[in-house]
Amino acid sequence: MRVLFTIFPTSAHLYPAIPLAWALQSAGHEVVVASPEGVVDPKVIANITSAGLTGVSLGGKEELTASLGPLIAAAGPDRPTLALDPDDDNAWRTARAVLAGMFHAYYPPPSAEGGRRPILDTLVEFAEAWRPDLVLWDPLAPTGAVAAQVCGAAHARLLFGMDNIGLIRARTRQELADPASGPTEDPWMPWLGPVLERYGLDFTEETLVGQWTLDLTQSRMRHPLDLTYVPVRRIPYNGAAALPQWLHARPERPRAVLTLGVSRRLLAGRHSGFPMREFFDSVSGLDLELVATLNSEQLSAVGTLPDNVRAMDYVPLTQVLPTSSAIIHHGGGGTFATAVAFKVPQFVVPLPMWDEMVTARYVVSRGAGLAADPAAIDVDSLHKDLVRLLEDPSFQLGARGLYEDMLAAPAPKDVIPVLERLTAEHRG
């Protein structure tokens, strides 16, 4: 069968899809990966092809620049985000409003070129020409569901993290069912209605949540939603790079890794909220090697690094974590999954963008690490917690528990027969 992936244009959304795309290709299926031009991440199309996959550019750079520009410009502790905490009664409404602004980019006002919508129309035209049997779409790229309906393909969401959109949709439906709640019109229909009308389609819930959902998160983390989920083991992929010579051998002293994530680097730059310089100074006297994956902008205010800190612009975590004893990170799904795969205890300093707060609490609840309060980051506490993480063997046991949970989910190759069956059942 032919399988079309559509992703939001950042590598953090591409990387989770790659092992499944490889598994499909290895099983003899044709695979292409479509994405708008990178605005936040200009390398996204190149990263598709460098992974050995066929990429399809959907254009739309100007539209996404207009949509994402305010988010990028507002980088900082008070910026609007898509972070969702199930215990916060208002966070989901804020996230819903931010999503609506992003989704409008897929259907901007008519342009001078006859009303063409580059991202949406290019994807639909490609789908009609290529005729996929199955479209797997990123929850932040809902045009995939539209293209699938137009060409008669089966379609499903492929989650890159927790199903925040599924949760927002469920709470929106509850809100609409209650006359006393306030809104009388579905708040996402102003952008979705014209999209469907353009192609003569009717709205169904599948337009927003897919005919089914491929879920890469650990089962204990999943939101309790009444949706059809197909669990898939998340195989870590962090990009391709030559192995640095200093990683050929195991370290002579404990190695810890500090990373704030690809999306965080691209969106926030130096505005991470993490006290980089003070933290480096605090660990300078420890008998450890700290590998910090930071770029020049993030390091610009740090000054001279201590002798035991090695700064790398980029090194795939799959290369450095096998020889590491701990990782300090922002709570991103890809970083969490890679740490789990290599049974590395985690110190999460959540920098909220999507599900980082939930991930931090989950790591702590499983005894696999520690977490800091992002609203009150204290360098002395960071120092003490890092030492504790390295010295207390119980965290290694907790990390092994997360690893065993990961293995309980089917590997990508084992999900292929399920996808073949569901595609046959749902294809138009």
Side-chain angles (χ1 to χ4, degrees):
M1 62 184 182
R2 288 185 160 184
V3 183
L4 167 62
F5 287 76
T6 67
I7 63 163
F8 186 73
T10 70
S11 296
H13 288 237
L14 166 66
Y15 290 167
I18 285 176
L20 180 61
W22 285 342
L24 284 160
Q25 284 193 158
S26 297
H29 300 296
E30 296 180 67
V31 174
V32 297
V33 183
S35 172
E37 292 288 346
V39 176
V40 175
D41 184 352
K43 296 182 179 180
V44 64
I45 300 297
N47 286 340
I48 294 171
T49 57
S50 70
L53 300 169
T54 300
V56 175
S57 171
L58 302 178
K61 187 172 183 178
E62 291 183 2
E63 287 71 27
L64 283 179
T65 298
S67 173
L68 298 178
L71 287 177
I72 299 171
D78 299 321
R79 73 201 176 284
T81 76
L82 298 171
L84 192 62
D85 185 340
D87 297 329
D88 186 332
D89 290 336
N90 293 315
W92 69 274
R93 290 187 176 90
T94 301
R96 183 177 66 187
V98 175
L99 283 167
M102 293 173 60
F103 289 162
H104 269 295
Y106 294 115
Y107 196 83
S111 66
E113 291 77 27
R116 179 174 176 78
R117 277 76 172 180
I119 299 171
L120 177 65
D121 289 344
T122 303
L123 177 62
V124 170
E125 289 167 4
F126 174 78
E128 288 186 299
W130 196 63
R131 309 301 297 179
D133 301 289
L134 172 63
V135 177
L136 297 177
W137 50 278
D138 186 313
L140 293 188
T143 45
V146 175
Q149 292 177 73
V150 171
C151 70
H155 66 96
R157 292 182 303 157
L158 175 61
L159 301 184
F160 58 87
M162 294 183 66
D163 192 6
N164 286 0
I165 290 181
L167 181 60
I168 291 170
R169 187 61 193 163
R171 294 195 174 178
T172 297
R173 294 182 67 185
Q174 292 173 356
E175 186 179 60
L176 292 170
D178 179 8
S181 65
T184 58
E185 180 185 22
D186 192 321
W188 279 350
M189 286 310 292
W191 66 265
L192 183 58
V195 171
L196 297 173
E197 182 180 353
R198 183 176 180 83
Y199 295 104
L201 300 173
D202 295 323
F203 171 76
T204 68
E205 288 298 316
E206 291 178 354
T207 309
L208 291 173
V209 296
Q211 293 172 321
W212 72 91
T213 299
L214 291 166
D215 194 351
L216 299 172
T217 60
Q218 294 209 355
S219 60
R220 300 191 199 195
M221 297 180 70
R222 189 173 301 144
H223 296 310
L225 300 172
D226 186 21
L227 295 172
T228 301
Y229 290 102
V230 176
V232 186
R233 186 184 310 164
R234 183 160 181 168
I235 306 298
Y237 176 82
N238 312 124
L243 186 69
Q245 187 171 358
W246 59 271
L247 273 175
H248 290 184
R250 300 192 68 85
E252 296 180 357
R253 52 184 174 173
R255 174 178 288 152
V257 176
L258 169 64
T259 177
L260 301 181
V262 173
S263 292
R264 173 63 53 180
R265 172 190 291 190
L266 293 167
L267 276 172
R270 71 180 70 183
H271 305 290
S272 65
F274 190 89
M276 208 78 65
R277 181 171 185 172
E278 294 85 353
F279 180 68
F280 289 161
D281 290 341
S282 76
V283 302
S284 62
L286 295 179
D287 185 26
L288 63 79
E289 176 191 22
L290 179 66
V291 178
T293 58
L294 306 169
N295 62 13
S296 58
E297 183 179 7
Q298 290 171 309
L299 288 169
S300 61
V302 173
T304 303
L305 294 175
D307 292 339
N308 64 340
V309 176
R310 184 194 299 271
M312 301 289 295
D313 186 5
Y314 179 74
V315 60
L317 291 177
T318 50
Q319 292 184 357
V320 69
L321 284 190
T323 57
S324 299
S325 302
I327 181 169
I328 308 153
H329 68 92
H330 61 302
T335 306
F336 165 77
T338 309
V340 168
F342 292 104
K343 296 171 279 192
V344 177
Q346 305 179 46
F347 185 11
V348 185
V349 185
L351 302 175
M353 290 183 70
W354 188 259
D355 54 13
E356 292 82 1
M357 295 295 293
V358 178
T359 298
R361 288 199 292 265
Y362 182 69
V363 167
V364 173
S365 71
R366 299 300 308 281
L370 300 167
D373 180 356
I377 297 177
D378 176 78
V379 173
D380 289 339
S381 296
L382 293 176
H383 174 99
K384 292 175 183 177
D385 285 344
L386 175 58
V387 172
R388 181 184 168 199
L389 194 67
L390 290 167
E391 294 181 351
D392 188 341
S394 69
F395 295 116
Q396 295 176 349
L397 294 176
R400 178 169 288 277
L402 291 181
Y403 173 75
E404 291 171 353
D405 283 355
M406 180 198 77
L407 293 182
K413 67 180 181 62
D414 298 324
V415 175
I416 305 305
V418 178
L419 295 184
E420 293 169 342
R421 174 178 58 81
L422 289 172
T423 299
E425 291 175 2
H426 290 280
R427 186 172 48 211

